[in-house]
């Protein structure tokens, strides 16, 4: 039988039976998959250091017949991201990004773009760079790839185009902005300044741009926080368990 070889991020690992491990992994071309690593608890030889959560690995696997399960045959560690485990705050951001990915992308639904951004975000967190900014940027990109892009082009009520000037109001139930003539700023409709809107647009246009220049004004960061929280609450149906760090 021909094995499939693919890069993957390990997202969950648990003991399964006497000597096996049940592994959930997210791949570039096949999305999120579940596999059994037979005998992995007894002999780690085929999977040296590579069945740890968050690790980027190259896995060889094959699908099981009549099941959505896969058999993992071997693995090779590409990157362990030790920096993610050195600090609780960074670790919780990584856990949050992984959980959000699981919620937004069902089993076996590939999204090359989000895989690439997840790997880059892990690299950035691993090197200690701006955890809040990286996690929030990932969130905008993941939500947008998952079908929840915020409409920043025009006021969702009067239809007036947003030209990049003036403060707007975020309307979570619409997933869009409104102009200040049409809607007031409230706790449930927070403001978005032109700088914050420009930042979100930049991420939508090129999610990788944040890795070239990982900096943003603190005011922008504090504006996007409630926007993302409300956006999640309205569209995900449930708050991710790991969201308390956000
Ligand atoms: Zn309006």
């Amino acid at each position: 039988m021909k094995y499939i070889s693919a890069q993957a991020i390990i997202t969950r690992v648990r003991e399964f039976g006497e000597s096996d491990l049940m592994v959930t992994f997210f791949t570039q071309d096949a999305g999120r998959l579940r596999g059994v690593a037979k005998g992995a608890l007894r002999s780690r030889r085929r999977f040296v250091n590579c069945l740890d959560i968050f690790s980027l690995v190259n896995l060889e696997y094959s699908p099981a017949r009549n099941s959505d399960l896969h058999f993992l045959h071997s693995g090779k560690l590409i990157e362990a991201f030790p920096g993610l485990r050195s600090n609780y705050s960074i670790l919780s951001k990584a856990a949050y990004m992984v959980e959000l990915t699981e919620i937004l992308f069902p089993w076996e639904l590939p999204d090359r773009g989000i895989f690439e951004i997840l790997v880059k975000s892990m690299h950035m967190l691993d090197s200690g760079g701006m955890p809040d900014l990286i996690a929030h940027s990932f969130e905008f990109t993941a939500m947008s790839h998952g079908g929840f892009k915020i409409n920043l082009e025009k006021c969702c009520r009067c239809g007036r185009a947003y030209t990049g000037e003036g403060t707007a109001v975020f309307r979570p139930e619409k997933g869009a902005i409104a102009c200040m003539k049409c809607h007031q700023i409230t706790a449930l409709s927070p403001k978005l300044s032109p700088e914050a809107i420009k930042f979100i647009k930049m991420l939508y246009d090129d999610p990788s741009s944040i890795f070239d220049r990982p900096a943003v004004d603190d005011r922008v960061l504090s504006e996007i926080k409630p926007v993302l929280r409300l956006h999640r609450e309205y569209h995900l149906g449930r708050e991710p368990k790991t969201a308390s760090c956000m």
Side-chain angles (χ1 to χ4, degrees):
M1 181 189 288
K2 200 173 178 306
Y3 295 161
I4 299 162
S5 174
Q7 278 198 16
I9 288 211
I10 306 292
T11 59
R12 282 170 203 272
V13 182
R14 66 178 170 85
E15 292 185 13
F16 184 65
E18 296 245 308
S19 60
D20 304 343
L21 287 175
M22 178 70 84
V23 183
T24 303
F25 54 105
F26 188 59
T27 68
Q28 197 159 34
D29 294 323
R32 185 159 52 105
L33 303 174
R34 194 169 10 218
V36 184
K38 285 274 188 199
L41 278 176
R42 257 199 319 260
S43 160
R44 299 231 163 200
R45 197 162 37 86
R46 287 173 300 136
F47 301 101
V48 180
N49 297 327
C50 80
L51 296 183
D52 290 323
I53 190 163
F54 306 137
S55 289
L56 176 66
V57 300
N58 205 83
L59 285 180
E60 279 198 323
Y61 62 92
S62 57
R65 226 169 280 171
N66 306 322
S67 144
D68 59 1
L69 216 61
H70 296 75
F71 291 115
L72 303 185
H73 301 288
S74 67
K76 202 167 178 193
L77 182 68
I78 300 171
E79 180 61 65
F81 302 123
L84 298 183
R85 295 159 179 90
S86 66
N87 172 316
Y88 181 75
S89 151
I90 290 177
L91 185 70
S92 52
K93 299 280 192 275
Y96 175 70
M97 294 195 306
V98 163
E99 190 188 356
L100 189 64
T101 307
E102 288 183 342
I103 293 173
L104 286 165
F105 302 95
W107 296 101
E108 301 187 28
L109 181 83
D111 186 310
R112 288 186 80 91
I114 207 65
F115 180 87
E116 186 192 328
I117 296 301
L118 183 61
V119 171
K120 284 185 175 177
S121 301
M122 293 291 196
H123 270 291
M124 205 62 150
L125 284 183
D126 181 55
S127 61
M130 317 229 8
D132 275 324
L133 177 62
I134 295 304
H136 285 315
S137 301
F138 178 78
E139 224 178 333
F140 277 115
T141 305
M143 290 288 284
S144 134
H145 278 242
F148 304 109
K149 186 174 180 177
I150 299 172
N151 186 340
L152 302 167
E153 301 305 318
K154 57 181 195 221
C155 169
C156 62
R157 186 136 180 228
C158 70
R160 192 152 60 95
Y162 182 74
T163 57
E165 284 159 34
T167 299
V169 178
F170 174 59
R171 301 292 312 277
E173 69 279 30
K174 304 272 188 213
I177 53 170
C179 74
M180 296 276 288
K181 281 201 180 110
C182 290
H183 211 282
Q184 284 181 332
I185 295 168
T186 69
L188 292 175
S189 305
K191 78 162 190 173
L192 277 172
S193 64
E195 294 77 27
I197 292 175
K198 198 174 152 199
F199 171 71
I200 303 169
K201 276 190 171 162
M202 176 195 83
L203 290 171
Y204 284 165
D205 290 345
D206 177 12
S208 285
S209 54
I210 194 66
F211 306 111
D212 304 330
R213 203 175 59 87
V216 72
D217 199 290
D218 280 349
R219 270 182 316 158
V220 168
L221 208 53
S222 63
E223 265 180 46
I224 61 176
K225 231 179 237 284
V227 167
L228 280 166
R229 183 175 48 76
L230 289 161
H231 194 41
R232 284 198 305 267
E233 282 174 9
Y234 268 89
H235 299 288
L236 292 189
R238 69 178 170 95
E239 184 73 334
K241 288 187 207 104
T242 51
S244 56
C245 69
M246 297 302 288

